[in-house]
Coordinates of all heavy atoms in Angstrom, one line a residue:
V122 N 0.8 -1.2 0.0 CA 0.0 0.0 0.0 C 0.9 1.3 0.0 O 0.4 2.3 0.2 CB -0.9 -0.1 1.2 CG1 -1.9 -1.2 1.1 CG2 -0.3 0.1 2.5
G123 N 2.1 1.1 -0.3 CA 3.1 2.2 -0.6 C 3.5 2.8 0.6 O 3.9 4.1 0.7
R124 N 3.7 2.1 1.8 CA 4.3 2.7 3.0 C 5.7 2.0 3.3 O 5.6 0.7 3.2 CB 3.5 2.5 4.3 CG 2.1 3.2 4.3 CD 2.1 4.6 4.3 NE 0.8 5.3 4.5 CZ -0.2 5.4 3.8 NH1 0.0 4.9 2.5 NH2 -1.3 5.9 4.1
Q125 N 6.6 2.7 3.5 CA 7.8 2.1 3.8 C 7.8 1.3 5.1 O 7.4 2.0 6.1 CB 9.1 3.0 3.9 CG 9.3 3.7 2.5 CD 10.7 4.4 2.7 OE1 11.6 4.0 3.1 NE2 10.6 5.7 2.4
T126 N 8.1 0.1 5.1 CA 7.8 -0.8 6.4 C 8.9 -1.7 6.7 O 9.4 -2.2 5.8 CB 6.6 -1.5 6.3 OG1 5.5 -0.5 5.9 CG2 6.0 -2.0 7.7
M127 N 9.3 -1.8 8.0 CA 10.3 -2.8 8.4 C 10.0 -3.3 9.7 O 9.2 -2.6 10.5 CB 11.7 -2.2 8.2 CG 12.1 -1.1 9.0 SD 12.2 -1.4 10.7 CE 13.5 -2.7 10.6
A128 N 10.5 -4.5 10.1 CA 10.2 -5.0 11.4 C 11.4 -5.6 12.1 O 12.3 -6.1 11.4 CB 9.1 -6.2 11.2
V129 N 11.4 -5.4 13.3 CA 12.5 -6.1 14.2 C 11.8 -7.1 15.1 O 10.6 -6.8 15.6 CB 13.2 -5.1 15.0 CG1 14.1 -5.7 16.1 CG2 14.0 -4.0 14.2
I130 N 12.3 -8.3 15.2 CA 11.8 -9.4 16.0 C 12.5 -9.3 17.3 O 13.8 -9.6 17.3 CB 11.7 -10.8 15.3 CG1 10.9 -10.7 14.2 CG2 11.2 -11.7 16.3 CD1 10.7 -11.8 13.3
S131 N 12.0 -9.0 18.5 CA 12.8 -8.8 19.7 C 12.2 -9.7 20.8 O 11.0 -10.3 20.8 CB 12.8 -7.4 20.1 OG 11.6 -7.0 20.5
D132 N 13.0 -10.0 21.8 CA 12.6 -11.0 22.8 C 11.8 -10.4 23.9 O 12.0 -9.3 24.4 CB 14.0 -11.5 23.4 CG 13.7 -12.5 24.6 OD1 13.2 -13.6 24.2 OD2 13.9 -12.2 25.7
M133 N 10.7 -11.2 24.2 CA 9.9 -10.8 25.3 C 9.7 -12.1 26.3 O 8.6 -12.3 26.8 CB 8.6 -10.3 24.9 CG 7.7 -9.6 25.8 SD 8.4 -8.6 27.1 CE 8.6 -7.1 26.4
S134 N 10.9 -12.8 26.5 CA 10.7 -13.9 27.4 C 10.7 -13.5 28.7 O 10.4 -14.0 29.7 CB 11.7 -15.2 26.9 OG 13.0 -14.5 27.1
Q135 N 11.6 -12.4 29.0 CA 11.7 -11.7 30.2 C 11.3 -10.3 30.1 O 11.4 -9.8 28.8 CB 13.1 -11.8 30.8 CG 14.2 -11.3 29.9 CD 15.5 -11.3 30.5 OE1 15.7 -11.4 31.8 NE2 16.6 -11.3 29.8
P136 N 10.9 -9.5 31.0 CA 10.4 -8.2 30.8 C 11.6 -7.3 30.2 O 12.7 -7.6 30.5 CB 10.1 -7.7 32.2 CG 9.8 -8.9 33.0 CD 10.6 -10.0 32.5
L137 N 11.2 -6.3 29.5 CA 12.3 -5.4 28.9 C 12.7 -4.3 30.0 O 11.7 -3.9 30.6 CB 11.6 -4.8 27.7 CG 12.5 -3.8 26.9 CD1 13.7 -4.6 26.3 CD2 11.8 -3.1 25.7
G138 N 14.0 -4.1 30.1 CA 14.2 -3.2 31.2 C 14.1 -3.9 32.7 O 13.9 -5.1 32.7
Y139 N 14.0 -3.0 33.6 CA 13.8 -3.6 35.0 C 12.5 -3.0 35.5 O 12.0 -3.8 36.4 CB 14.8 -3.0 35.9 CG 16.3 -3.6 35.7 CD1 17.2 -2.8 35.1 CD2 16.6 -4.9 36.0 CE1 18.6 -3.3 34.7 CE2 17.9 -5.4 35.7 CZ 18.8 -4.6 35.0 OH 20.0 -5.1 34.6
A140 N 11.8 -2.0 35.2 CA 10.7 -1.6 35.7 C 9.4 -2.0 35.0 O 9.3 -2.0 33.8 CB 10.7 0.1 35.7
V141 N 8.3 -2.4 35.8 CA 7.1 -2.6 35.4 C 6.1 -1.9 36.2 O 5.9 -2.1 37.3 CB 6.7 -4.2 35.4 CG1 5.5 -4.5 34.9 CG2 7.8 -5.0 34.8
G142 N 5.3 -0.9 35.5 CA 4.5 0.0 36.3 C 4.5 1.3 35.7 O 5.6 1.7 35.2
N143 N 3.6 2.2 35.7 CA 3.5 3.4 35.0 C 4.6 4.5 35.3 O 5.4 4.7 34.6 CB 2.0 4.0 35.1 CG 1.2 3.0 34.5 OD1 0.9 2.8 33.4 ND2 0.4 2.1 35.3
A144 N 4.6 4.9 36.6 CA 5.5 6.0 36.9 C 6.9 5.4 37.0 O 7.8 6.1 36.7 CB 5.2 6.5 38.3
L145 N 7.0 4.1 37.4 CA 8.3 3.5 37.4 C 9.0 3.3 36.1 O 10.2 3.6 35.9 CB 8.2 2.0 38.0 CG 7.6 2.0 39.5 CD1 7.2 0.5 39.9 CD2 8.7 2.5 40.6
E146 N 8.1 3.2 35.0 CA 8.6 3.0 33.7 C 9.0 4.5 33.2 O 10.0 4.5 32.5 CB 7.5 2.4 32.8 CG 7.5 0.9 32.9 CD 6.5 0.2 32.1 OE1 6.4 0.6 31.0 OE2 5.7 -0.7 32.5
V147 N 8.4 5.5 33.5 CA 8.7 7.0 33.2 C 10.1 7.2 33.7 O 10.9 7.6 33.0 CB 7.7 7.9 33.6 CG1 8.0 9.3 33.3 CG2 6.3 7.7 32.9
K148 N 10.2 6.8 35.0 CA 11.6 7.0 35.6 C 12.7 6.3 34.8 O 13.8 6.9 34.6 CB 11.5 6.3 37.0 CG 12.2 7.1 38.2 CD 11.9 6.5 39.5 CE 12.0 7.4 40.5 NZ 11.6 7.0 41.9
E149 N 12.3 5.0 34.4 CA 13.4 4.3 33.7 C 13.7 4.9 32.3 O 14.7 4.9 31.8 CB 12.8 2.9 33.5 CG 13.9 1.9 33.0 CD 13.5 0.4 33.2 OE1 12.8 0.0 32.4 OE2 14.0 -0.3 34.1
A150 N 12.6 5.4 31.7 CA 12.7 6.1 30.4 C 13.6 7.4 30.6 O 14.4 7.6 29.8 CB 11.3 6.5 29.9
I151 N 13.4 8.0 31.6 CA 14.3 9.3 31.8 C 15.7 8.9 32.0 O 16.6 9.4 31.3 CB 13.8 10.0 33.1 CG1 12.4 10.6 32.8 CG2 14.7 11.1 33.5 CD1 11.8 11.2 34.2
A152 N 16.0 7.8 32.8 CA 17.4 7.4 32.9 C 18.0 7.0 31.5 O 19.1 7.2 31.2 CB 17.4 6.1 33.8
T153 N 17.2 6.3 30.7 CA 17.5 5.7 29.3 C 17.8 7.0 28.4 O 18.8 7.0 27.7 CB 16.5 4.8 28.8 OG1 16.1 3.9 29.8 CG2 16.9 4.1 27.4
L154 N 17.0 8.0 28.4 CA 17.3 9.2 27.6 C 18.6 9.8 28.0 O 19.1 10.6 27.2 CB 16.0 10.1 27.7 CG 14.8 9.6 26.8 CD1 13.5 10.4 27.2 CD2 15.1 9.7 25.3
K155 N 18.9 9.7 29.2 CA 20.2 10.4 29.7 C 21.3 9.5 29.4 O 22.5 9.8 29.8 CB 20.1 10.6 31.3 CG 19.1 11.7 31.5 CD 19.1 12.0 33.1 CE 18.2 13.2 33.5 NZ 17.9 13.2 35.0
G156 N 21.1 8.3 28.9 CA 22.3 7.4 28.6 C 22.6 6.5 29.6 O 23.7 5.8 29.5
N157 N 21.8 6.4 30.8 CA 22.1 5.4 31.7 C 21.1 4.5 32.1 O 20.7 4.2 33.3 CB 22.8 6.1 33.0 CG 22.1 7.4 33.3 OD1 20.9 7.4 33.1 ND2 22.6 8.4 33.9
G158 N 20.3 4.1 31.1 CA 19.2 3.1 31.3 C 19.6 1.6 31.3 O 20.8 1.4 31.1
P159 N 18.7 0.7 31.5 CA 19.0 -0.7 31.4 C 19.6 -1.1 29.9 O 19.2 -0.5 29.0 CB 17.7 -1.4 31.5 CG 16.8 -0.4 32.0 CD 17.3 0.9 31.7
R160 N 20.5 -2.0 30.0 CA 21.3 -2.4 28.6 C 20.3 -2.7 27.6 O 20.4 -2.2 26.5 CB 22.3 -3.3 28.9 CG 23.5 -3.2 28.1 CD 24.7 -3.9 28.4 NE 24.4 -5.3 28.6 CZ 24.8 -6.1 29.7 NH1 25.5 -5.5 30.6 NH2 24.6 -7.4 29.9
D161 N 19.3 -3.5 27.8 CA 18.5 -4.1 26.9 C 17.5 -3.0 26.2 O 17.4 -2.9 25.1 CB 17.6 -5.4 27.3 CG 16.8 -5.2 28.6 OD1 17.0 -4.1 29.3 OD2 16.0 -5.9 29.0
L162 N 16.9 -2.3 27.2 CA 15.9 -1.2 26.8 C 16.8 -0.3 25.9 O 16.3 0.1 24.8 CB 15.4 -0.5 27.9 CG 14.4 0.7 27.8 CD1 13.3 0.1 26.9 CD2 13.9 1.2 29.0

C-alpha cells in the first residue's frame, strides 16, 4: 500500500528493562534518555 515498512523481532521471554508499572517506567525512560538506562532497553 505504498508505505515504507520494516520489522524487528525482539525478545519478550523476560520483561524489557527492569521497571514494570507506570511511574516506574517513566523513571526508567528518563534514565535511558540520559544514557544510563538498562542495557536491553
Side-chain angles (χ1 to χ4, degrees):
V122 303
R124 300 290 193 287
Q125 292 193 47
T126 310
M127 58 74 55
V129 169
I130 299 176
S131 68
D132 179 69
M133 196 32 87
S134 59
Q135 58 178 337
L137 186 63
Y139 291 107
V141 181
N143 299 280
L145 297 167
E146 287 184 39
V147 172
K148 222 176 205 168
E149 189 164 80
I151 292 170
T153 308
L154 285 163
K155 288 178 177 172
N157 43 23
R160 212 168 46 234
D161 57 346
L162 178 62

